[in-house]
Amino acid sequence: MDYSVYDALQSGFGKIVFVIRHYFEEEFREKVASKYENSVPVEIVFQELDVLPEGFTLNPEREKPWGTNHALMMGKEVIHEPFGIINADDFYGRESYQLLAEQLSQIEGKHHQYCMIGYLLGNTLSDSGSVARGVCEIDDNGYLSKITERTQIERINGIPSFKEQEEWKSLTDTTPVSMNMWGFTPDYFDLSENSFIEFLKNNQHNPKAEFLIPTLVNDLVAKKEISVKLVNTPADWFGVTYIKDRPGAVQKIQELIDKGIYPSKLF
């Protein structure tokens, strides 16, 4: 997360919003947010299970958070400009933040025109096991036409493949995928709130259903209510999907420090 904040600041972003749970607010402010407050304005908002639209009550069986798009909605009161959203536990690479900042400057003031940073599938796989990725289909103008969540992708005989109904189907290393690095303008909040009401009507009795960014984007694209420009990045993503991934992630960060791309102490 430190590297994400650092790269975002280096790329021109001017505010950081963290979405957390209330129960660890004090510890988060003390150990995390305090590091950044002298470098950039920081806002903290809270995603809780009972943050629901009027007329809905929490299913007592519900324990799982409502998902990434619900988390995004928590920022409505503090975000009034074009913004990017990321997973806090992924390393995206500075080129990706630079591309996102450039694209956000182009969509500022426009309605229902968004963007997504697309990664090459081959740059996002884990050597330790299967991963879940949003596999993207793009139209002739470079806009997202469909995104399909594939929950089990790994190399089979060296070829990126996904499992569907017990059958392995091949992809390519250059297949564009989503790593949940999106660019929106504030009008996306209203679209999200309206769609969340429909989601709850259909899923309020399902304690595991999630209101996810890729799912909503896909639905809105299919209805032609929004357009999403896919911006390909040359960056290598890495994260710690499995415990075995940790040493490799530590080594990659150290290599970037050794090359002078990052200082040894960020904040």
Side-chain angles (χ1 to χ4, degrees):
M1 189 165 63
D2 285 344
Y3 289 91
S4 293
V5 173
Y6 186 86
D7 283 340
L9 297 182
Q10 294 292 311
S11 302
F13 287 86
K15 180 166 67 177
I16 307 298
V17 179
F18 294 103
V19 185
I20 68 171
R21 302 288 293 275
H22 267 298
Y23 76 86
F24 62 88
E25 176 187 1
E26 182 177 350
E27 187 176 20
F28 185 87
R29 288 186 184 276
E30 177 186 345
K31 296 185 177 181
V32 180
S34 61
K35 290 189 295 186
Y36 311 126
E37 288 175 339
N38 292 328
S39 303
V40 62
V42 172
E43 298 277 3
I44 298 176
V45 297
F46 303 97
Q47 182 189 25
E48 301 293 344
L49 293 177
D50 59 357
V51 181
L52 298 172
E54 185 177 352
F56 291 91
T57 56
L58 181 63
N59 181 344
E61 296 181 11
R62 182 84 193 187
E63 297 179 357
K64 190 178 183 67
W66 290 106
T68 51
N69 209 95
H70 182 255
L72 176 154
M73 291 164 57
M74 302 304 101
K76 181 178 181 179
E77 300 304 318
V78 299
I79 298 175
H80 310 290
E81 52 277 303
F83 64 97
I85 185 165
I86 62 166
N87 297 331
D89 56 352
D90 289 335
F91 185 98
Y92 290 95
R94 189 172 306 161
E95 305 101 320
S96 301
Y97 291 92
Q98 293 168 341
L99 290 168
L100 181 59
E102 179 183 352
Q103 194 63 31
L104 286 173
S105 70
Q106 295 178 23
I107 65 176
E108 185 170 8
K110 298 179 180 179
H111 294 289
H112 299 174
Q113 296 185 36
Y114 311 128
C115 61
M116 188 202 86
I117 302 301
Y119 283 75
L120 302 179
L121 175 59
N123 290 344
T124 74
L125 298 177
S126 169
D127 293 331
S128 303
S130 65
V131 296
R133 299 287 180 258
V135 177
C136 301
E137 297 178 27
I138 311 303
D139 68 17
D140 294 338
N141 296 314
Y143 285 83
L144 189 68
S145 59
K146 187 177 182 180
I147 180 168
T148 306
E149 191 72 14
R150 300 296 183 189
T151 58
Q152 189 175 356
I153 301 178
E154 59 185 276
R155 290 192 185 277
I156 303 297
N157 297 323
I159 300 173
S161 305
F162 67 93
K163 198 171 188 179
E164 184 177 46
Q165 296 179 349
E166 302 306 315
E167 180 182 354
W168 287 99
K169 299 182 179 181
S170 62
L171 296 165
T172 69
D173 281 317
T174 57
T175 298
V177 296
S178 165
M179 299 304 300
N180 253 357
M181 191 177 203
W182 302 89
F184 296 110
T185 52
D187 57 2
Y188 186 74
F189 290 118
D190 292 331
L191 291 172
S192 294
E193 288 176 348
N194 293 334
S195 297
F196 190 45
I197 290 172
E198 293 304 312
F199 169 87
L200 289 173
K201 288 178 180 177
N202 295 324
N203 295 282
Q204 59 183 319
H205 300 300
N206 181 349
K208 295 186 178 180
E210 291 186 80
F211 188 53
L212 303 174
I213 295 173
T215 304
L216 178 56
V217 166
N218 191 58
D219 290 344
L220 294 173
V221 166
K223 295 174 183 176
K224 302 189 183 304
E225 293 185 20
I226 66 172
S227 61
V228 179
K229 180 74 173 179
L230 187 137
V231 182
N232 288 309
T233 178
D236 287 337
W237 167 95
F238 60 87
V240 184
T241 306
Y242 299 92
I243 292 296
K244 292 180 181 178
D245 295 333
R246 187 181 187 280
V250 172
Q251 179 182 346
K252 289 176 182 177
I253 289 175
Q254 187 60 53
E255 289 172 355
L256 293 170
I257 293 172
D258 293 341
K259 291 177 182 177
I261 297 174
Y262 295 103
S264 56
K265 182 176 177 58
L266 296 178
F267 297 97

